């Protein structure tokens, strides 16, 4: 938690992860990641700073030649702000034109998917979305990944116990 000037702790995230999509790394094989800016209004940023956003069903796609983040849930800010917004509204992603062309080309040619992995605040306090160029996993691949993860955890536990 971030600290205010008076030394009191607040529930705000100054910089760090605001929302994470943990299921994405299980359901998809992430080939490449890219960081994109996101267009937000004031109350949306405040809600993100409280860490209440959800990315589990979110995806990124094209609309009119630009990339948008669809189905990301950012709840309304309850701090007495009069302006309301749609919690699941499409939000524009900010990338260079060349990056957009490369990502959309990979999606159409390879059948890949653009999956948002996390929303975080950088050192300057700007909200950023970490997108993953992903390929879907089959059921047996998911089982193999779970078995590998369990083995790594057990191995680390054995090494710690051994000394």
């Amino acid at each position: 938690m971030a600290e205010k000037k008076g030394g009191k702790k607040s529930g705000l995230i100054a910089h760090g992860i605001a929302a994470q999509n943990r299921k994405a790394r299980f359901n998809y094989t992430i080939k490449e990641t890219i960081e994109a800016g996101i267009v937000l209004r004031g109350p949306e940023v405040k809600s993100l700073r409280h860490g209440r956003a959800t990315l589990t069903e979110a995806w990124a796609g094209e609309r009119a030649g630009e990339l948008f983040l669809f189905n990301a849930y950012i709840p309304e800010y309850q701090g007495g702000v009069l302006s309301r917004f749609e919690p699941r509204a499409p939000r524009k992603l900010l990338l260079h034109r060349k990056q957009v062309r490369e990502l959309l080309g990979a999606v159409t040619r390879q059948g890949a998917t653009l999956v948002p992995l996390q929303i975080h605040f950088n050192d300057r306090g700007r909200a950023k979305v970490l997108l993953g160029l992903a390929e879907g996993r089959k059921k047996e691949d998911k089982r193999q990944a779970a078995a590998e993860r369990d083995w790594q955890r057990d191995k680390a536990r054995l090494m710690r116990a051994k000394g």
Side-chain angles (χ1 to χ4, degrees), residues 20-24 27 54-58 71-73 88 116:
Q20 208 170 18
N21 188 354
R22 294 178 182 215
K23 289 186 96 173
N27 291 331
T54 306
L55 291 176
T56 52
E57 298 170 359
N71 209 23
Y73 179 71
R88 291 200 184 269

Side-chain angles (χ1 to χ4, degrees), residues 38-82:
I38 184 168
V39 176
L40 297 170
R41 295 186 358 206
E44 293 173 319
V45 175
K46 288 181 179 184
S47 187
L48 272 179
R49 287 202 187 277
H50 282 283
R52 293 190 294 229
T54 306
L55 291 176
T56 52
E57 298 170 359
W59 56 281
E62 184 218 358
R63 179 187 281 178
E66 297 177 323
L67 277 181
F68 281 82
L69 182 64
F70 296 101
N71 209 23
Y73 179 71
I74 300 176
E76 287 189 11
Y77 179 65
Q78 301 298 321
V81 178
L82 295 176

Side-chain angles (χ1 to χ4, degrees), residues 2-10:
E3 288 191 11
K4 292 184 177 178
K5 284 187 177 180
K8 296 179 183 177
K9 290 189 178 183
S10 69

Side-chain angles (χ1 to χ4, degrees), residues 20-153:
Q20 208 170 18
N21 188 354
R22 294 178 182 215
K23 289 186 96 173
R25 295 197 187 269
F26 180 72
N27 291 331
Y28 298 97
T29 302
I30 308 297
K31 297 179 187 176
E32 181 184 341
T33 60
I34 190 164
E35 189 177 65
I38 184 168
V39 176
L40 297 170
R41 295 186 358 206
E44 293 173 319
V45 175
K46 288 181 179 184
S47 187
L48 272 179
R49 287 202 187 277
H50 282 283
R52 293 190 294 229
T54 306
L55 291 176
T56 52
E57 298 170 359
W59 56 281
E62 184 218 358
R63 179 187 281 178
E66 297 177 323
L67 277 181
F68 281 82
L69 182 64
F70 296 101
N71 209 23
Y73 179 71
I74 300 176
E76 287 189 11
Y77 179 65
Q78 301 298 321
V81 178
L82 295 176
S83 64
R84 299 285 179 222
F85 58 89
E86 178 64 34
R88 291 200 184 269
R91 292 169 177 91
K92 186 176 176 180
L93 295 175
L94 304 172
L95 289 164
H96 294 284
R97 232 181 254 129
K98 184 179 177 183
Q99 291 174 318
V100 171
R101 280 197 307 266
E102 288 174 2
L103 289 174
L104 293 178
V107 167
T108 55
R109 278 193 314 273
Q110 302 168 2
T113 308
L114 282 174
V115 181
L117 301 174
Q118 71 181 19
I119 296 178
H120 64 275
F121 290 97
N122 67 2
D123 295 335
R124 294 177 54 195
R126 308 273 189 201
K128 301 288 184 176
V129 177
L130 185 66
L131 291 174
L133 190 61
E135 191 175 273
R137 283 187 179 169
K138 293 184 173 78
K139 198 171 193 175
E140 56 269 11
D141 294 337
K142 290 180 188 179
R143 284 192 201 122
Q144 184 178 4
E148 177 69 25
R149 186 178 58 240
D150 291 344
W151 165 241
Q152 292 297 330
R153 190 175 337 155

